[in-house]
Amino acid sequence: MRPSSPFPSFYALLATLFLICFNTSSALPTSGSSDSNLLQSIPTLRSRSLDNWYQCYDSPGAMQRRAKYNDCARAAAQLPNFIEEKTFHRGGDGNTDPYALPIIKRHNTCQITVDVRFGRSDVSSWVGIDMALSKIMEACSVGYGQHETTGGEIEAGLASFILVTVGKPGAAGRGAAAAVVATS
């Protein structure tokens, strides 16, 4: 009899630790202790990034909207990484307010757009946006190595009014903005 692989138990352990961390962080005290600032800054799953709607650019007519995966990873690295939940909103000065949308980041063949749909504000953190972005990039990944591409759109935020679009420049999604805020 062949011994079973250690990998399924490793992934089960990893998933269990993830759930324990997020479930116990909300039960811990958030005031009256020296750790209160740390506990309040732990990102929550309020952004619904694990169960939100998404759509890949994988139909025959949408394949030209896909971009190289590595370019999208580099564009994603340009996004802010604040862990505080705040209100993402339309307008304002994107240079001084990291929650003023739209924010568009480009690298070679890929453009990532973060915008609010219907002009409605929504609550999330940049960590929540990054989780949604990681989900769409992985879920929509096709190919391997230099030929790997990705592209699609995903909702984020507490009310799902934030739309994150990944693809070639000009492959704007349902709620993507037209203005380019930053390029590289």
Side-chain angles (χ1 to χ4, degrees):
M1 179 173 188
R2 210 171 84 185
S4 64
S5 170
F7 292 113
S9 61
F10 172 76
Y11 289 124
L13 176 66
L14 188 62
T16 303
L17 289 174
F18 176 81
L19 291 174
I20 289 171
C21 287
F22 281 106
N23 286 335
T24 59
S25 68
S26 62
L28 296 172
T30 58
S31 62
S33 71
S34 61
D35 294 333
S36 65
N37 288 339
L38 173 65
L39 294 176
Q40 290 174 349
S41 67
I42 294 173
T44 64
L45 294 180
R46 288 178 32 159
S47 68
R48 299 182 49 233
S49 63
L50 299 178
D51 66 347
N52 39 7
W53 171 91
Y54 71 94
Q55 165 184 308
C56 297
Y57 298 150
D58 55 3
S59 66
M63 290 299 286
Q64 72 275 9
R65 298 167 74 181
R66 301 176 66 81
K68 290 183 178 179
Y69 187 92
N70 290 337
D71 289 349
C72 292
R74 288 190 174 130
Q78 298 175 33
L79 291 170
N81 59 358
F82 302 113
I83 60 174
E84 300 85 19
E85 282 191 339
K86 301 252 178 149
T87 301
F88 284 74
H89 56 90
R90 181 56 79 83
D93 182 4
N95 294 324
T96 58
D97 180 3
Y99 300 92
L101 300 178
I103 289 184
I104 299 174
K105 300 294 182 179
R106 287 185 183 172
H107 184 82
N108 293 338
T109 66
C110 186
Q111 174 176 298
I112 296 175
T113 304
V114 181
D115 200 0
V116 290
R117 295 179 352 157
F118 316 116
R120 305 273 309 263
S121 298
D122 201 352
V123 174
S124 187
S125 67
W126 278 105
V127 170
I129 299 299
D130 185 54
M131 288 172 61
L133 180 59
S134 295
K135 177 180 178 178
I136 193 70
M137 285 179 59
E138 289 299 318
C140 299
S141 175
V142 174
Y144 181 75
Q146 295 291 337
H147 303 288
E148 185 175 12
T149 63
T150 190
E153 26 189 80
I154 188 166
E155 293 175 345
L158 189 57
S160 296
F161 287 130
I162 300 172
L163 185 69
V164 180
T165 306
V166 179
K168 285 186 179 173
R174 300 185 300 172
V180 173
V181 177
T183 61
S184 73

